[in-house]
Amino acid sequence: MSIVLACDLGGTSFRAALVDDTGAVRAQHAIAGPVSRDDRSGASEIEPDAWWSLLVETCAGLAAEAPALFEAIEAVAICGVTRTQIFLDRDGNSLRPAMTWKDTRADACAARLRERLGTAHPESAAVNAFHPLARLAWLREQEPEVFGRLACLLEPKDYLNFRLTGRRASDRVSLARLLAAASPHGSHDLLAAAGIPVTILPEMLEPWEQVAPVQPGLPAPLDRLAGKPVFCASNDTWAAVVGLGAMRDGFAYNISGTTEVLGVVGREPARAEGLLTVDWRGLFQLGGPSQTGADTVSWLLALLGRDDSAVGQEIDALLAAPRQPQPLLFLPYLQGERVPYWDPSLRSALVGLNRRHGPTDLAFAVLEGVACLNRIVLERAEAAIGRAATEIRFGGGAAANPVWSQIKADLCGRPVVVAASREPGLLGAAIIAFAGLGRFASLADAQQALVSVARRFEPDQARKPAYDALYTLFRRAEDALAPISRDLVAAAQNGGTLADLARHASAIASLHAD
């Protein structure tokens, strides 16, 4: 029996597991991740050392729970959140807090970049507040002293690999957008045009390639892993798609964690408005990450005064009650949106609320709103590829809820298949490690051997007319309310009368509290 250490650095937690070569999790430990420091400017930051502390603490939990298995670890693979930048100096020290996937401060800088760069380079249109090129340009503009000392840019999982091995490396999936910007197109090089030196890029490896062995002298219990190979792995989406068994031509995937990611996998590259095309090393994905997901459900539970630390139980209870005949529409853009709109100024709305609606109606509206967004991405991807997806492999916390799985199947009109593994990111990381160790002939063979299916949800044709009508109304509501969202956000950012009114209300509330 072989054992590998698989880790998944998520948006709100860090999970690690000891996985054997049948795909079985023999021990698992999870702890809450560091809370990002967010403010009204659009900042969202985390100290990189906080992620390193999570790795040490989580491994300590595993070593205490299963000491013999921990000693048997043969390799390490870590997947993690993407669209998050860590800035290192030449000695490998962090220069400033990491900018997380939620950070929108580069929005104005991105707009100026797009205008200046024009459309000659194919990546220009993709430059937005979440693009690493815009983040680097913002750093160069706003923090020139830090930018001047910048020697290397890493993503969180790459930073942990660096701390484990001493080698600065990444993979072409995780850094796809930055590599696209750095790739010359004719006489155009976006990185050079933005004044960003190409030397900040780390070495590029395949996800299943070894970074280096674990170096000696690390804090316990990582010191017991010295000499064990660390594999590069990739971002959490890529690893989870492997763990769902969806890294196959014609499959779609939907990973629902704190936020959601949906895409279609094919053999040829295709492009669609607002979607990301990424070379997944032999296959191509068309889709990308949203800002909605389980965090949207947590927001609803907190709003209703329910226990948002027990999301699964609470949402099950809400969905079990009867709902009103008139449905609600929910636009799920609490934090703006990435795919397919790339607009940090979009905001949520409940449309059609009446006096008889209650918590159950709100719960269904939230789940259906997220599923409507899934359908938008799916339709754009399928139209670009020229065929329908065979099925949607569904994973993450929300996949445990059969009602949500059925809603997605009904609204998207595709079978939704839930994998047996409750932690596809961890299984995907383990598959990467076993492929890297040579236990299987290829990553595809490892995926085929270690992934199994738990349940399949077929679209209910009886619900199709109602859900098609709801989807049409959802699209109309989006078009009507998007300009109002942007005006509200602009008023708050510019200190206008609406912002003054909000501050006045907050001051009155403080007086009453005193």
Side-chain angles (χ1 to χ4, degrees):
M1 178 182 66
S2 295
I3 295 290
V4 296
L5 172 62
C7 301
D8 184 357
L9 193 169
T12 56
S13 66
F14 190 97
R15 298 176 295 282
L18 303 178
V19 184
D20 69 23
D21 51 11
T22 70
V25 174
R26 305 296 299 275
Q28 184 172 340
H29 195 76
I31 52 179
V35 177
S36 60
R37 296 192 299 271
D38 302 348
D39 63 33
R40 290 175 59 188
S41 73
S44 181
E45 299 183 336
I46 292 175
E47 289 291 344
D49 277 352
W51 286 314
W52 173 250
S53 297
L54 289 182
L55 175 62
V56 175
E57 184 180 347
T58 308
C59 287
L62 283 175
E65 178 185 342
L69 290 174
F70 195 87
E71 292 292 340
I73 290 172
E74 296 182 34
V76 180
I78 305 171
C79 65
V81 292
T82 188
R83 295 272 173 168
T84 296
Q85 290 78 37
I86 296 172
F87 308 93
L88 301 182
D89 66 15
R90 60 186 300 176
D91 297 320
N93 301 310
S94 174
L95 289 165
R96 68 178 315 283
M99 298 177 73
T100 82
W101 65 97
K102 295 185 292 183
D103 200 299
T104 60
R105 284 175 292 178
D107 189 37
C109 192
R112 292 194 297 272
L113 268 177
R114 288 194 302 272
E115 184 176 355
R116 190 170 90 244
L117 298 173
T119 59
H121 195 288
E123 187 67 12
S124 297
V127 176
N128 52 56
F130 309 100
H131 198 289
L133 182 68
R135 301 269 180 91
L136 285 163
W138 178 90
L139 187 71
R140 183 173 183 261
E141 183 179 284
Q142 299 296 322
E143 299 179 11
E145 190 275 332
V146 170
F147 182 83
R149 296 166 56 202
L150 177 63
C152 186
L153 186 78
L154 294 179
E155 294 234 335
K157 64 93 178 171
D158 301 320
Y159 177 72
L160 295 181
N161 288 345
F162 165 62
R163 294 288 298 267
L164 285 170
T165 68
R167 185 182 182 189
R168 305 174 201 186
S170 188
D171 66 286
R172 292 184 177 277
V173 178
S174 299
L175 289 191
R177 300 274 60 85
L178 193 57
L179 291 172
S183 177
H185 186 76
S187 61
H188 299 274
D189 177 338
L190 297 189
L191 216 60
I196 313 297
V198 72
T199 53
I200 66 165
L201 291 171
E203 294 180 72
M204 288 295 125
L205 302 174
E206 297 293 353
W208 49 87
E209 287 186 323
Q210 183 183 154
V211 178
V214 176
Q215 58 188 339
L218 297 179
L222 300 181
D223 56 338
R224 289 148 63 181
L225 302 179
K228 305 297 183 183
V230 175
F231 291 100
C232 185
S234 190
N235 62 52
D236 50 358
T237 297
W238 193 90
V241 171
V242 171
L244 289 172
M247 193 68 75
R248 308 180 193 187
D249 180 33
F251 276 47
Y253 68 87
N254 180 199
I255 301 156
S256 185
T258 305
T259 59
E260 288 209 342
V261 193
L262 188 141
V264 178
V265 180
R267 294 201 179 278
E268 300 295 332
R271 294 192 176 275
E273 182 184 0
L275 307 190
L276 300 175
T277 302
V278 184
D279 180 351
W280 272 11
R281 320 314 294 147
L283 293 167
F284 294 85
Q285 89 84 47
L286 184 59
S290 75
Q291 296 283 71
T292 67
D295 183 64
T296 313
V297 177
S298 296
W299 163 83
L300 175 66
L301 295 177
L303 187 70
L304 296 174
R306 303 179 80 105
D307 183 5
D308 62 343
S309 67
V311 173
Q313 295 176 359
E314 293 286 359
I315 199 69
D316 285 348
L318 287 174
L319 297 174
R323 63 189 298 194
Q324 293 299 312
Q326 182 220 300
L328 283 172
L329 284 175
F330 178 70
L331 306 185
Y333 310 121
L334 292 169
Q335 304 179 86
E337 191 49 280
R338 291 183 286 180
V339 167
Y341 299 124
W342 300 105
D343 187 347
S345 296
L346 285 180
R347 290 296 178 264
S348 291
L350 272 168
V351 182
L353 190 66
N354 70 40
R355 182 66 179 79
R356 300 184 66 184
H357 284 133
T360 292
D361 303 292
L362 295 177
F364 272 101
V366 166
L367 301 193
E368 289 165 349
V370 174
C372 282
L373 180 62
N374 295 155
R375 177 167 167 174
I376 294 169
V377 176
L378 183 67
E379 286 183 345
R380 291 191 186 191
E382 289 179 336
I385 289 173
R387 59 191 167 111
T390 306
E391 61 187 50
I392 302 171
R393 287 290 176 102
F394 186 29
N401 188 303
V403 176
W404 204 350
S405 298
Q406 190 63 55
I407 285 172
K408 286 175 180 283
D410 293 341
L411 254 164
C412 292
R414 302 287 178 270
V416 168
V417 178
V418 177
S421 174
R422 298 288 294 271
E423 298 283 0
L426 287 176
L427 179 57
I431 288 171
I432 291 166
F434 283 123
L437 286 170
R439 299 291 188 271
F440 298 91
S442 66
L443 188 76
D445 287 348
Q447 175 185 243
Q448 182 68 28
L450 301 182
V451 177
S452 57
V453 168
R455 193 167 177 186
R456 185 180 179 93
F457 297 84
E458 295 289 344
D460 187 337
Q461 294 303 313
R463 296 193 185 102
K464 178 175 170 52
Y467 268 142
D468 284 348
L470 188 77
Y471 179 67
T472 299
L473 292 172
F474 180 91
R475 300 305 307 274
R476 287 172 58 191
E478 280 189 316
D479 291 341
L481 296 177
I484 298 172
S485 290
R486 297 184 186 108
D487 287 346
L488 287 169
V489 171
Q493 291 174 340
N494 296 332
T497 55
L498 290 175
D500 294 337
L501 183 62
R503 284 192 290 271
H504 180 63
S506 177
I508 291 174
S510 298
L511 287 174
H512 284 303
D514 295 338

